[in-house]
Amino acid sequence: MRYLRLIAVGVSFRVREFTVSRWFLLMCLLQPVIFATIAFYMFKAGGRPGTLLYAALGAGMMGIWSSTLFGSGGALQWNRWQGTLELLVAAPPPFIVVLLPLTIATSITGAYSLLATVFWGRVFFDVPLHLVHPALFLLAVPAAVLSLGLMGLLMASSFILYRHANALSNLLEYPVWVATGLLFPLALLPGWVAPISWLLAPRWGIDAIRHSALGGSVWFPIAMCALTGAVYLGLAAVFLRVFERAARARATLALT
């Protein structure tokens, strides 16, 4: 119960911290709107205006993924610059309990992207907001956000070991966008991409959100969000111990 309370307080603190960061808010709001606008014009030019909500939801998920990715890596780098990363690692609770609120908070803050793209599409492109399964939509969004937060936890475990975590996160943004079909169906990609997408939470998160909004099976993608999230949590618990020992041995926690 103490760990759950620590996680709840940590999530609340981190969300408030991110919501006052101009850079973070611009990344969560401005970047997804730009990508959504490009997608809207592309879909209209291709004679598929009826799929604009499909594009809006995909662009929103792109924003959540970017927020999780850069937030997890960036927050650890900021702690390095401030000299507090060593204190977080040396804190009495297990480091995974300290780190988990940070990664979940990045995903929760990234949910602004979904709201921004849907609002932008509705106001400026007349995107319909009729949801086929509104109740399941309210379940699919938290499931997607939580699974991405746990995926961020897994990635953050490796960011502990490397000082230039932001450079590593830059490499992972666009490949995941493509491999999980956030803006176009996976059927358009080579066949070997599909098995890779099964391992990535954004694929199941966007499936759950789109199926609840546009129609389709919702429970299976939500179950896969839960399954992948549980796997990420288990792997992160193991990797954090290994990488934390390696970082201590190599003295790579601090900048100097």
Side-chain angles (χ1 to χ4, degrees):
M1 292 301 296
R2 288 181 298 174
Y3 291 161
L4 291 177
R5 181 177 179 275
L6 178 61
I7 292 173
V9 173
V11 169
S12 175
F13 173 79
R14 291 293 186 177
V15 168
R16 285 180 288 173
E17 180 184 20
F18 290 138
T19 52
V20 297
S21 170
R22 295 179 181 177
W23 175 84
F24 207 79
L25 288 178
L26 283 175
M27 184 183 66
C28 293
L29 299 177
L30 183 60
Q31 177 178 278
V33 165
I34 293 174
F35 282 113
T37 303
I38 295 173
F40 291 154
Y41 281 115
M42 290 175 59
F43 276 59
K44 280 190 173 183
R48 302 182 63 185
T51 56
L52 293 185
L53 183 57
Y54 179 98
L57 296 174
M61 181 59 71
M62 290 166 64
I64 298 176
W65 167 243
S66 297
S67 170
T68 303
L69 184 61
F70 290 109
S72 300
L76 291 177
Q77 197 73 347
W78 298 332
N79 281 292
R80 273 200 171 97
W81 293 336
Q82 296 167 1
T84 57
L85 183 59
E86 303 96 314
L87 299 177
L88 294 177
V89 173
F95 187 54
I96 189 172
V97 178
V98 178
L99 187 58
L100 181 59
L102 188 153
T103 60
I104 293 179
T106 59
S107 297
I108 292 175
T109 309
Y112 283 118
S113 304
L114 191 60
L115 296 176
T117 55
V118 172
F119 174 80
W120 183 264
R122 177 59 180 172
V123 173
F124 294 98
F125 294 90
D126 198 26
V127 175
L129 295 183
H130 173 72
L131 304 177
V132 177
H133 306 293
L136 291 179
F137 184 83
L138 297 178
L139 179 62
V141 173
V145 168
L146 181 59
S147 63
L148 262 71
L150 294 173
M151 186 175 178
L153 177 67
L154 178 60
M155 294 184 301
S157 64
S158 63
F159 293 163
I160 292 294
L161 188 60
Y162 300 104
R163 293 181 179 179
H164 302 290
N166 287 342
L168 179 60
S169 63
N170 289 337
L171 296 175
L172 298 175
E173 184 177 22
Y174 288 95
V176 172
W177 283 357
V178 174
T180 54
L182 296 186
L183 277 182
F184 45 80
L186 289 173
L188 300 177
L189 300 176
W192 56 267
V193 177
I196 297 176
S197 71
W198 298 340
L199 306 176
L200 303 175
R203 183 260 171 90
W204 302 113
I206 192 59
D207 280 356
I209 291 174
R210 279 179 175 155
H211 291 177
S212 61
L214 304 174
S217 175
V218 181
W219 289 111
F220 180 72
I222 290 178
M224 289 302 297
C225 285
L227 177 61
T228 53
V231 172
Y232 296 151
L233 182 61
L235 291 176
V238 175
F239 290 163
L240 272 175
R241 295 177 184 175
V242 175
F243 290 145
E244 182 183 341
R245 292 194 192 100
R248 289 173 183 268
R250 300 178 184 180
T252 58
L253 282 176
L255 290 173
T256 58

